[in-house]
Structures are given as C-alpha cells and as structure tokens.
C-alpha cells in the first residue's frame, strides 16, 4: 500500500490504527448502546480487524529481502521525460542492463539525446512507440540479442509510457478516448505480450504504471481514468496467470505528480481545451456555455504547478517492485491525503 518509505508509512499506519482501533469502535459501540445491543462485541470485532490492517501496513514497511541487481536486464518504456529517464539512470547505476524506450529517439528528442550521452555497454536507448507493433517487435528482437549471456532472459519490463487528458464526458470526443487508451492501455498490453516469452524464461517481473485514479476517480478525468482502471484489471489477471511461471506482477498507483513530471502544462491544457471546444457538438456547447468551459480549463491550468515535485517515491516503488524478493502487488507513492482518500473510496460505501 505504501512505497516503503518509513516516515510516510508509519504516519499512515498511525492514522489508520487510531481511526479504526479507537474512533470506529467508539462510534459502533455508541450505535449498539442506543439500539440496546451487546456493544462489547462491536469493539472487539473492529479492534481485531484494525490489528490485522496494521499488520499489513507493517509488512509493507519492513524489509522483504532484496535481489542482486547486477546484470539483470530491464526494458523501460516512456523514457523521453518524467519518471522514465530518471528510473533508467537509477537502475543503470545499480548495475542493471537498461533498455530505455523513447518515443522520439528517431526525431531527435531531447530526452533520448540526453540518455544517449551515457556511454555504457549496459545502457541502450531504443526507438519505441508503444502504439506501433513493428517498433515493439524490433525492440524485443534487439533486446533478445543483447541480453547478457549470464542471464536466462529479460528480468523485467516497466510499462511507464503514458498519456493524459481532461474534460467532462460530453466534451470529450471518442477520438480523444481512443488516443489516450492507445498508449495507456493497448500500449501496456502490446509491450507486455511481446516481452513475456523473455520474462518467463527469467522468472522476472512486470511492473505497470496505473494511477491513484485507477482506484478512485474525479470529475473531468474519465478519458484518463478508464485506462488506469483497465490497467488494474489487466495486471491482476496477468498476475494470476503468471504465477505458474514464477513471474511477479506489480502495479504502481502514484498520486499527483503533475508538478514533477510536467505531464500537463498551461499551454498544453489550453491547446487541448481549444481542440475540445472546436469538436464539441453545438447543442453541448449551448447547454454548458463557454463561461463554464473556460472556468474548467482555467482550473486545470492551476493544477499544472501542484502536486509532488520529488519523484523519488515513484522511482523507489519501481525499484522495489523489480528487486524486492517479495514485491508488493500495489504501491501507492502518494501524499497521506491521497492515501487516506484512496482507502475511503475503495473500502467505504460508494455514496461517500
């Protein structure tokens, strides 16, 4: 549930333990008392489940063993910007063979050019558009020819490439839904399927980037959110299927890292907003009005400078998922507010 960073995990454990071991039993006992029922059973029952919950949190915090990263090979998609290039350099520094997939390598993208300056036989920058079957095929063939001879196969794939968008459902065209899903969902499936034969040989890891919005959702984020819910389902199914092969599958569910990754910029939000308004049906424009639309765009622009700018919690979650002897199924590198909100959305009645 947590990234393994002790401070935030202990804080979360303390908050949840206080709420569930003290607050909820007190409320439950009060209700039982009013109803004239045996409220001692309520306290004992909830305290038991709170203890179990705390045990799970402790499991996420304490060390779970670590594998030797030396010469293990990993493919990382989406290395043009954001988490990708930082993770590629972090894993390379550990002694791993890194295949960094970049969308814009062949077009002289700045991210790819920066990574290509790393002079190492263990670092490879690949042209990789996760929506392009032929590029995926060529990348996997290249990886197969460059896996270290002392390794059985590809140790891991990190499906990090992603796209985002915003806009209420009636404002968003089907083409926009398809464009984002092509990267966030079908790209994950394409790359995973292509790499699985190599990963199964190594009994390795699949690490998929989902989102906090894969466990909860907010208005105006359906285009992005549905792809992350789908990645969650795909990853869970893959985890069940890969058990027989010794392959472990983990999901990363970050909080808000817009400020740190610049996945949204004010200019980008404005450009998407202009395109959205232009393609919107006239009756929808009339019903919502330009004033409300502009207000939503302006709100989204304010988010461009918000969120966490320290990307280390996500990078460390990726690393733990690849190299822990007992990786977590889900990692939530997010602020405490979003962790609590995610728990409430996941476990409490839907009307909340």
């Amino acid at each position: 549930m947590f990234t393994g960073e002790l401070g935030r995990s202990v804080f979360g454990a303390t908050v949840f333990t206080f709420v569930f071991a003290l607050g909820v039993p007190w409320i439950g006992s009060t209700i039982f008392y009013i109803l004239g029922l045996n409220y001692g059973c309520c306290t004992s029952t909830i305290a038991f489940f709170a203890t179990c919950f705390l045990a799970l949190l402790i499991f996420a915090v304490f060390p779970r063993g670590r594998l030797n990263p030396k010469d293990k090979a990993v493919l990382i998609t989406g290395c043009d910007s954001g988490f990708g290039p930082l993770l590629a350099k972090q894993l390379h520094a550990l002694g791993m063979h890194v295949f960094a997939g970049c969308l814009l390598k062949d077009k002289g993208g700045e991210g790819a050019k920066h990574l290509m300056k790393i002079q190492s036989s263990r670092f490879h920058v690949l042209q990789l558009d996760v929506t392009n079957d032929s590029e995926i095929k060529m990348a996997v063939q290249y990886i197969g020819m460059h896996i270290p001879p002392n390794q059985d196969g590809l140790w891991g794939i990190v499906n990090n490439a992603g796209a985002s968008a915003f806009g209420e459902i009636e404002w968003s065209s089907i083409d926009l839904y398809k464009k984002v899903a092509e990267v966030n969902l079908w790209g994950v499936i394409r790359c995973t399927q292509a790499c699985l034969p190599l990963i199964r040989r190594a009994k390795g890891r699949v690490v998929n980037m989902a989102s906090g919005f894969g466990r909860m959702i907010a208005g105006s984020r359906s285009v992005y959110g549905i792809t992350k819910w789908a990645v969650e389902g795909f990853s869970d199914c893959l985890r069940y299927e890969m058990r027989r092969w010794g392959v472990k599958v983990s999901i990363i569910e970050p909080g808000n890292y817009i400020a740190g990754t610049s996945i949204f910029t004010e200019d980008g939000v404005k450009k998407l907003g202009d395109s959205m308004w232009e393609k919107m049906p006239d009756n929808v424009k009339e019903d919502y009005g330009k004033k409300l639309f502009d207000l939503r765009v302006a709100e989204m622009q304010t988010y461009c400078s918000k969120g966490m700018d320290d990307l280390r919690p996500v990078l460390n979650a990726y690393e733990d998922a690849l190299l822990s002897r007992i990786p977590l199924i889900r990692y939530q590198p997010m602020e405490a507010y979003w962790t609590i909100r995610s728990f409430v959305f996941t476990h409490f009645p839907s009307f909340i």
Side-chain angles (χ1 to χ4, degrees), residues 162-166 177 180 184 209-214 217 220-229 254-255 263-264:
S164 193
F166 73 96
Y177 278 99
V180 175
N184 291 0
M209 170 64 85
S211 168
F213 280 147
I217 198 60
S220 297
R221 300 309 305 276
S222 69
V223 175
Y224 176 77
I226 62 170
T227 66
K228 297 305 182 180
W229 283 72
I263 193 170
F264 280 120

Side-chain angles (χ1 to χ4, degrees), residues 22-318:
L22 298 178
V24 175
W26 180 81
I27 294 173
S29 297
T30 301
I31 294 173
F32 273 45
Y33 175 76
I34 293 173
L35 296 177
L37 301 175
N38 183 356
Y39 57 87
C41 294
C42 174
T43 302
S44 301
T45 300
I46 298 179
F48 169 76
F49 283 108
T51 303
C52 294
F53 185 76
L54 178 59
L56 293 175
L57 289 174
I58 292 174
F59 172 77
V61 174
F62 278 79
R64 287 165 279 111
R66 184 177 172 87
L67 300 170
N68 182 2
K70 183 175 174 57
D71 286 338
K72 282 183 167 54
V74 60
L75 168 64
I76 307 168
T77 68
C79 286
D80 297 88
S81 61
F83 302 116
L86 297 177
L87 179 64
K89 290 187 282 188
Q90 180 169 316
L91 297 182
H92 177 257
L94 294 176
M96 298 184 75
H97 281 253
V98 174
F99 298 92
C102 292
L103 171 65
L104 301 176
K105 180 192 174 186
D106 287 353
K107 296 182 179 179
E110 290 300 318
K113 287 196 294 186
H114 177 74
L115 292 178
M116 289 171 68
K117 293 178 181 178
I118 299 176
Q119 300 297 316
S120 170
S121 61
R122 293 186 291 103
F123 199 92
H124 309 261
V125 181
L126 310 180
Q127 169 60 37
L128 183 56
D129 178 352
V130 299
T131 70
N132 187 311
D133 289 321
S134 62
E135 289 192 4
I136 294 171
K137 182 178 180 180
M138 287 189 293
V140 173
Q141 288 175 343
Y142 180 92
I143 292 169
M145 293 186 294
H146 292 82
I147 290 175
N150 63 339
Q151 298 295 308
D152 294 327
L154 179 66
W155 175 250
I157 179 174
V158 176
N159 283 303
N160 171 75
S164 193
F166 73 96
E168 298 195 13
I169 293 171
E170 287 190 279
W171 303 353
S172 305
S173 67
I174 295 299
D175 286 341
L176 182 59
Y177 278 99
K178 289 181 177 179
K179 181 180 179 180
V180 175
E182 195 66 36
V183 177
N184 291 0
L185 175 58
W186 304 119
V188 170
I189 296 174
R190 283 190 186 95
C191 291
T192 301
Q193 284 184 331
C195 290
L196 277 178
L198 291 174
I199 294 173
R200 284 192 284 104
R201 278 167 38 189
K203 301 185 185 300
R205 306 288 168 86
V206 177
V207 185
N208 291 332
M209 170 64 85
S211 168
F213 280 147
R215 304 264 282 186
M216 54 185 171
I217 198 60
S220 297
R221 300 309 305 276
S222 69
V223 175
Y224 176 77
I226 62 170
T227 66
K228 297 305 182 180
W229 283 72
V231 166
E232 295 268 355
F234 169 75
S235 302
D236 280 337
C237 187
L238 182 67
R239 176 164 49 86
Y240 301 146
E241 294 177 2
M242 287 295 108
R243 281 175 178 168
R244 74 187 71 169
W245 301 100
V247 174
K248 293 182 170 61
V249 180
S250 294
I251 307 167
I252 312 297
E253 301 172 343
N256 182 4
Y257 285 86
I258 294 177
T261 60
S262 299
I263 193 170
F264 280 120
T265 64
E266 291 190 18
D267 289 342
V269 168
K270 183 179 185 306
K271 183 177 179 180
L272 178 56
D274 291 343
S275 174
M276 198 179 303
W277 181 260
E278 181 182 345
K279 297 177 181 179
M280 198 182 303
D282 290 338
N283 63 317
V284 176
K285 289 181 181 179
E286 183 177 348
D287 289 344
Y288 282 90
K290 192 67 162 63
K291 183 177 180 180
L292 174 61
F293 181 84
D294 289 342
L295 177 62
R296 291 289 182 265
V297 172
E299 286 178 351
M300 196 64 204
Q301 287 178 316
T302 65
Y303 296 148
C304 294
S305 58
K306 293 182 178 179
M308 298 176 66
D309 55 10
D310 181 2
L311 306 186
R312 285 176 297 177
V314 174
L315 301 179
N316 293 340
Y318 272 143

